[in-house]
Amino acid sequence: RREGQLTLLLKNSEIKSLLSPHELINELKDGFENYSITRNINGQRANSPLPNDKSSSMIIFPALLKKISAYTVKVHAKFQYQSPAIKGVIHLHDLNNGNLLSIMDSPYLTGVRTGLSGALGTHILSRSNASRVTINGCGVQGELQLRSLSYFRNISKVYAFDSIPEKAR
């Protein structure tokens, strides 16, 4: 992006049409490995409760990867009785000058990242022949975790639990 160009705005529906979760597996795995091995910048979160009994809190997450000359800041809140429960935006900035490159709707991106992360960890840490899985929390992220786990292995049985019984059903 050059100076004076417009900031790219991406809605959830546009992100869904552009993003193939399966294609992110290697990048996500590399990101976790790099963060664990060379952690020169610690991940930080700022959490602030919202004055609403139907939401949990507003959270700010910064993110930075070595090989990408940009950084993101995600701002979102959780509304557990809505779908998707997590709503917010991700700002993408140029690392060299701070210019805002993009503002992206965060629900789908957050769900994909969490789903792939949970599936990757489950796959790596579970027995190689495990085929049964338990999903705790059956919202968008739970669904994406189950779908993502199917990239790694065949699943024969799923147990689903949620504090909202209708979601588990």
Side-chain angles (χ1 to χ4, degrees):
R1 176 178 175 260
R2 293 190 179 127
E3 190 64 40
Q5 286 185 323
L6 297 176
T7 300
L8 178 63
L9 300 175
L10 291 171
K11 296 183 295 186
N12 226 27
S13 59
E14 293 167 319
I15 294 166
K16 283 181 183 180
S17 72
L18 295 169
L19 180 66
S20 172
H22 190 260
E23 294 174 0
L24 297 176
I25 292 170
N26 289 332
E27 294 296 326
L28 188 64
K29 187 176 183 221
D30 289 348
F32 282 130
E33 287 175 357
N34 288 332
Y35 182 74
S36 295
I37 294 168
T38 62
R39 188 178 311 177
N40 53 5
I41 299 174
N42 286 325
Q44 299 176 19
R45 298 175 181 198
N47 186 352
S48 177
L50 293 174
N52 178 342
D53 62 350
K54 294 184 179 174
S55 63
S56 60
S57 62
M58 177 184 66
I59 304 173
I60 301 172
F61 298 100
L64 177 66
L65 288 175
K66 249 183 178 176
K67 63 183 178 179
I68 298 175
S69 175
Y71 65 93
T72 62
V73 177
K74 177 167 61 171
V75 179
H76 73 216
K78 182 174 181 181
F79 298 86
Q80 72 181 41
Y81 296 104
Q82 295 188 18
S83 183
I86 293 178
K87 299 178 182 188
V89 295
I90 298 172
H91 298 93
L92 178 68
H93 295 267
D94 186 301
L95 184 59
N96 299 309
N97 58 27
N99 287 345
L100 181 61
L101 304 172
S102 180
I103 299 174
M104 298 167 274
D105 218 350
S106 74
Y108 185 69
L109 284 170
T110 297
V112 166
R113 193 251 330 134
T114 302
L116 285 173
S117 299
L120 186 59
T122 299
H123 175 66
I124 290 170
L125 297 173
S126 65
R127 293 187 332 259
S128 62
N129 65 343
S131 64
R132 291 177 289 160
V133 64
T134 298
I135 299 295
N136 288 309
C138 299
V140 172
Q141 288 184 12
E143 179 183 332
L144 286 167
Q145 284 181 348
L146 181 58
R147 186 173 293 143
S148 297
L149 191 55
S150 70
Y151 295 143
F152 298 105
R153 58 182 65 215
N154 292 321
I155 299 169
S156 65
K157 187 158 188 151
V158 177
Y159 300 94
F161 297 94
D162 196 286
S163 60
I164 302 170
E166 304 84 57
K167 286 185 177 183
R169 277 190 281 284

